[in-house]
Amino acid sequence: MRKETRKAVIAGNWKMNMTPSQAKTLIEELKPLVAGKNGCEVIVCVPFVDLTTAVEAVKGSDIKVGAQNVHFADKGAYTGEISAAMLKEVGAEYVVIGHSERRQYFGETDVTVNQRVTAAVRAGLKPILCVGELLEQRDQGITAEIVSLQTKIALSGITAEEMKQIIIAYEPVWAIGTGRTATAEQAEEVCAVIRDVLKGLYGEEIAEAVTVQYGGSMKPGNAAELLAKTNVDGGLIGGASLVAKDFAAIVDAAN
Ligand code: 13P
């Protein structure tokens, strides 16, 4: 399978934005703008408390709903955490795991990311697994090594069959929320590294079928160039996903 046969996936990561009523309004705005744009999958990854509202609001459209994190235990004494079964029951289909903000501010490690990916996929959720290097790591010339290591550890124990449910998002940390986008060449280079890691782990056929997204200041103005690259199959969008017309313009670029 090659780029032409992989479905592009444009996912909004709302982060800690939008109350339930604001979520409803944004999705209602978005629905007509992305209607019939079937050249890509459109997902909104919303705060936990917005999930029920979002699942209701997307009805009658092809927009899918995801969460932004999941705990690795089935249940138990983990105050403040949310399990995969809870997400499933409210109708979430996807879940962002290992976002750099989780790693940076909330002590996520490659090992806990692996535990969360495992719990999510075994509960029937589709993980959007985030990997990416820090600026100093890029400056040190170790981007490929860092991203390869993050990918391998996060996927430890994941079977080939389970890998078919997983999306990987390459998000260089220095490009997130900074307005500084990776060049299309930089994005392509690292997304190709990720696909090579997948080839080593799961073989050519599965690696070629996995959606690898780019994330980091993707906007209407730069989306088309990034998405045209061979190994860039979509985008994980922060800031621009909060404005319906901007997010829809990125969906257009993917179509
Ligand atoms: P921005 O698009 O705001 O840079 O955020 C990217 C991101 O972190 C998506 O997960």
Side-chain angles (χ1 to χ4, degrees):
M1 202 184 277
R2 301 284 163 204
K3 184 175 178 72
E4 310 78 62
T5 45
R6 285 191 292 269
K7 191 154 190 171
V9 179
I10 301 296
N13 174 10
W14 289 5
K15 309 191 180 184
M16 196 175 73
N17 293 290
M18 302 289 156
T19 65
S21 60
Q22 292 168 335
K24 185 169 189 296
T25 304
L26 179 53
I27 290 170
E28 295 300 347
E29 275 175 29
L30 196 58
K31 273 163 83 167
L33 299 177
V34 301
K37 305 284 165 61
N38 295 324
C40 70
E41 181 108 299
V42 179
I43 308 169
V44 289
C45 296
V46 307
F48 291 131
V49 298
D50 293 354
L51 282 168
T52 303
T53 306
V55 166
E56 191 58 34
V58 298
K59 283 186 180 156
S61 78
D62 292 324
I63 302 172
K64 305 289 197 302
V65 176
Q68 298 174 12
N69 195 16
V70 63
H71 196 260
F72 38 82
D74 290 343
K75 60 180 175 176
Y78 300 100
T79 302
E81 294 295 318
I82 300 287
S83 73
M86 292 172 186
L87 296 180
K88 277 294 282 185
E89 191 166 322
V90 296
E93 189 172 330
Y94 291 86
V95 58
V96 175
I97 297 178
H99 192 278
S100 66
E101 286 149 17
R102 300 287 329 163
R103 298 177 191 254
Q104 193 176 349
Y105 305 131
F106 303 103
E108 292 274 341
T109 65
D110 290 326
V111 172
T112 59
V113 169
N114 170 244
Q115 292 172 324
R116 288 173 207 267
V117 170
T118 305
V121 84
R122 297 205 173 144
L125 291 165
K126 297 174 186 164
I128 300 177
L129 163 64
C130 302
V131 295
E133 81 287 1
L134 304 169
L135 184 57
E136 57 261 40
Q137 293 167 332
R138 174 159 287 270
D139 290 343
Q140 287 159 355
I142 57 171
T143 296
E145 286 87 342
I146 291 290
V147 170
S148 298
L149 205 60
Q150 288 175 340
T151 306
K152 282 184 189 168
I153 299 173
L155 296 176
S156 169
I158 296 295
T159 66
E161 205 48 39
E162 288 165 344
M163 190 63 225
K164 295 179 183 167
Q165 301 302 315
I166 300 174
I167 292 172
I168 300 189
Y170 166 54
E171 298 209 310
V173 178
W174 48 271
I176 294 177
T178 57
R180 189 179 158 190
T181 318
T183 64
E185 289 69 30
Q186 287 171 325
E188 167 62 17
E189 192 181 5
V190 184
C191 290
V193 166
I194 292 168
R195 203 175 305 283
D196 271 345
V197 169
L198 297 177
K199 273 180 202 159
L201 293 174
Y202 300 105
E204 174 104 18
E205 194 183 334
I206 289 186
E208 286 293 344
V210 172
T211 294
V212 181
Q213 299 173 311
Y214 167 80
S217 302
M218 191 185 269
K219 296 183 278 284
N222 59 28
E225 193 188 352
L226 286 157
L227 295 170
K229 289 293 178 188
T230 313
N231 284 288
V232 180
D233 309 313
L236 185 55
I237 294 110
S241 74
L242 300 173
V243 180
K245 71 169 180 15
D246 289 353
F247 189 60
I250 297 173
V251 170
D252 280 340
N255 275 260

